Amino acid sequence: MWSKMEEDSGKLINSVWSRELDLPPSCVEFCPAHPSYFLVGTYNLQKDDVDAHTPEQDAGDDDNKDDAKSQAAKPKKAQSRNGSILVFQLQDDNNIVPIQTEPQPSALLDLHFNPIEGFWDICATVSSTATLAIFKLSPGPEDDKPLKHLNTMDISSLSGGDISASDGSEILFLSVCWHPSRADMLAVTTNTGHVYLVHLPAWDKGWKLLPEPATTHTLEAWTVNLSPYLGPTNSPEEVFFRIFSGGDDSKLRFGTVIWSPSDDHLTETISAVEARGHDAGVTAILPLFVLEDGSELLVTGSYDENIRLFSLAPYGRPKNLVEMGLGGGVWRLKLINLDKTPSPTYNWRARILASCMHAGSRVVDVLQTVDGEHHVRVLGRFEEHKSMNYGSDFHPQRKDSLTAVSTSFYDRLLCLWQLDIA
């Protein structure tokens, strides 16, 4: 493995707009179908619950657990949390207009729009009471509430009663991820360390969570991603793909499965492999692409403040190609663009937006040079947030510069900023 210390911290970026929200923001994403609109999910530990600590008290003194989410996932007893979904519109003059507020009975931990064209307006959210909800964003000239709720189910109803919290405990959904080539499948992770697949044959009914975990961690499963790494199967109806997950046990796990939509049968074709090398919980996973030899390139983020590039062979142990500290826990990674056309300086380059908790947001390049070396380079850093930056995203159609929104938890800040990355 080749590694380096941060040689260039990148350009310091100033905000062009900011606003304090009513509740702490936990996640944010632009809508691919309506690119000027974005959603913010919020997470509120209710202070009128006398048995529950405030988020600050829950944070404790553990350096690897200095955020409200990680402590909220390990409650001593059931706590009261609520939240909301906020709809905003980014206008051409860079003014951000609030459009809609949808109160939620539970706190939101993650939200994502469907990546399949034709379904880009469909958004999945997961909550602190292990509920999965589906919304549709349909802005219209006379519609002041463009976000429509389609359905919500909790883990017990999703699993047909096979899974439920035992007395004195609770289950939280910590993250959600759509399948990259199947609009009707997603994965969720839990504070109990499990990763589950969910089949959505319709947006408003018929959902089924496969009760057998796709993979398991010994502590919280913080993140999941699915890759369409695929080859032929015995049936054209079967879906053959990889599952990647990261947990508080400091492990990146990945395995290959075949899923049959007709009977929701899941077959593990290659047993899950653990990638070591993280010094704390694995909190973000971003698959890049598959090399000619069948190895898959994957970027991870961790509480240990490092971003890493792994090469995952179809068989055998993964290889850590490069790592670099970004100054804060790397909570989320968002691919800005991937350039696989060789240039005079690199063979390929992935440009990534990273949410780095107490360090703010980073724009980084992960690349392979023409000499075959792997590097991480920071292009820009946004540091106006005064607490945990859990969510960042960028306008998907502004090509002249990166136009991004980012959030921070305790100070409830929503910021807009730009970086010239031409």
Side-chain angles (χ1 to χ4, degrees):
M1 182 194 70
W2 183 89
S3 63
K4 64 187 281 293
M5 297 298 292
E6 187 173 344
E7 297 173 357
D8 183 359
S9 59
K11 178 183 178 181
L12 183 63
I13 307 166
N14 296 319
S15 64
V16 297
W17 182 97
S18 64
R19 172 179 175 165
E20 185 177 308
L21 304 176
D22 293 333
L23 295 177
S26 56
C27 44
V28 59
E29 188 160 283
F30 276 91
C31 177
H34 309 285
S36 65
Y37 287 80
F38 65 92
L39 305 184
V40 175
T42 68
Y43 178 111
N44 180 49
L45 188 62
Q46 297 182 55
K47 296 181 180 179
D48 58 356
D49 183 350
V50 296
D51 294 323
H53 292 167
T54 65
E56 292 82 0
Q57 290 170 325
D58 279 336
D61 296 322
D62 187 339
D63 289 341
N64 292 334
K65 300 292 184 297
D66 58 356
D67 59 284
K69 287 184 181 177
S70 50
Q71 289 304 306
K74 295 179 179 175
K76 296 179 180 179
K77 60 181 298 185
Q79 298 178 335
S80 297
R81 310 176 187 86
N82 60 13
S84 60
I85 303 176
L86 311 177
V87 183
F88 292 95
Q89 184 179 23
L90 173 58
Q91 299 182 327
D92 292 340
D93 61 357
N94 285 335
N95 184 41
I96 293 180
V97 179
I99 302 297
Q100 180 180 353
T101 298
E102 282 297 304
Q104 299 295 296
S106 305
L108 297 191
L109 285 102
D110 203 11
L111 63 82
H112 290 289
F113 282 96
N114 197 308
I116 306 301
E117 189 172 1
F119 304 100
W120 286 347
D121 55 356
I122 299 296
C123 183
T125 70
V126 291
S127 82
S128 60
T129 53
T131 60
L132 168 68
I134 298 294
F135 295 84
K136 183 173 183 177
L137 184 65
S138 303
E142 305 298 329
D143 192 352
D144 60 351
K145 292 188 175 181
L147 187 68
K148 312 297 184 184
H149 174 250
L150 301 183
N151 194 25
T152 298
M153 293 181 71
D154 65 14
I155 191 170
S156 179
S157 55
L158 282 166
S159 63
D162 289 342
I163 304 171
S164 59
S166 58
D167 292 341
S169 66
E170 57 182 345
I171 300 176
L172 290 74
F173 282 160
L174 301 181
S175 67
V176 62
C177 172
W178 291 97
H179 193 280
S181 57
R182 290 279 312 206
D184 60 349
M185 170 179 273
L186 52 75
V188 296
T189 70
T190 72
N191 61 313
T192 55
H194 297 126
V195 178
Y196 295 106
L197 296 176
V198 182
H199 184 201
L200 307 171
W203 299 132
D204 59 349
K205 60 183 178 181
W207 302 355
K208 182 178 180 180
L209 180 144
L210 281 61
E212 183 67 25
T215 190
T216 300
H217 292 263
T218 57
L219 296 171
E220 294 94 331
W222 286 121
T223 188
V224 61
N225 216 316
L226 307 176
S227 172
Y229 159 81
L230 312 182
T233 65
N234 295 326
S235 169
E237 296 182 356
E238 293 178 335
V239 184
F240 181 31
F241 61 97
R242 271 182 167 177
I243 300 176
F244 306 97
S245 63
D248 210 48
D249 51 10
S250 305
K251 294 175 182 176
L252 165 68
R253 291 177 61 84
F254 63 98
T256 305
V257 298
I258 295 177
W259 170 60
S260 174
S262 59
D263 58 3
D264 283 319
H265 181 70
L266 193 69
T267 303
E268 186 178 58
T269 62
I270 300 178
S271 299
V273 175
E274 295 179 354
R276 302 183 184 275
H278 298 88
D279 297 324
V282 180
T283 48
I285 297 172
L286 179 63
L288 294 181
F289 62 96
V290 178
L291 300 172
E292 291 183 358
D293 65 0
S295 299
E296 188 159 6
L297 295 179
L298 183 88
V299 180
T300 67
S302 171
Y303 275 131
D304 67 13
E305 304 187 355
N306 284 283
I307 186 172
R308 293 177 172 88
L309 174 67
F310 283 91
S311 173
L312 310 179
Y315 301 93
R317 288 290 176 182
K319 183 178 181 181
N320 189 349
L321 301 176
V322 65
E323 64 183 50
M324 187 164 110
L326 295 183
V330 184
W331 183 254
R332 287 290 182 263
L333 297 169
K334 182 86 174 185
L335 183 65
I336 300 170
N337 58 57
L338 175 65
D339 184 4
K340 294 194 290 182
T341 302
S343 78
T345 58
Y346 59 78
N347 294 325
W348 60 264
R349 184 207 66 205
R351 186 154 288 167
I352 297 169
L353 175 60
S355 301
C356 296
M357 297 178 71
H358 65 267
S361 302
R362 299 285 188 271
V363 180
V364 301
D365 277 351
V366 179
L367 57 90
Q368 184 190 57
T369 68
V370 292
D371 296 326
E373 292 188 332
H374 296 91
H375 292 255
V376 179
R377 182 166 60 102
V378 178
L379 302 181
R381 52 195 172 93
F382 180 75
E383 299 180 342
E384 292 182 18
H385 294 294
K386 303 304 179 185
S387 69
M388 300 298 176
N389 167 219
Y390 287 131
S392 308
D393 199 13
F394 59 93
H395 192 292
Q397 290 188 352
R398 291 193 180 181
K399 304 301 183 182
D400 52 339
S401 66
L402 181 73
T403 300
V405 293
S406 55
T407 65
S408 44
F409 194 78
Y410 297 120
D411 56 354
R412 308 192 306 276
L413 199 61
L414 171 65
C415 295
L416 173 71
W417 47 272
Q418 293 179 309
L419 177 67
D420 184 4
I421 57 173

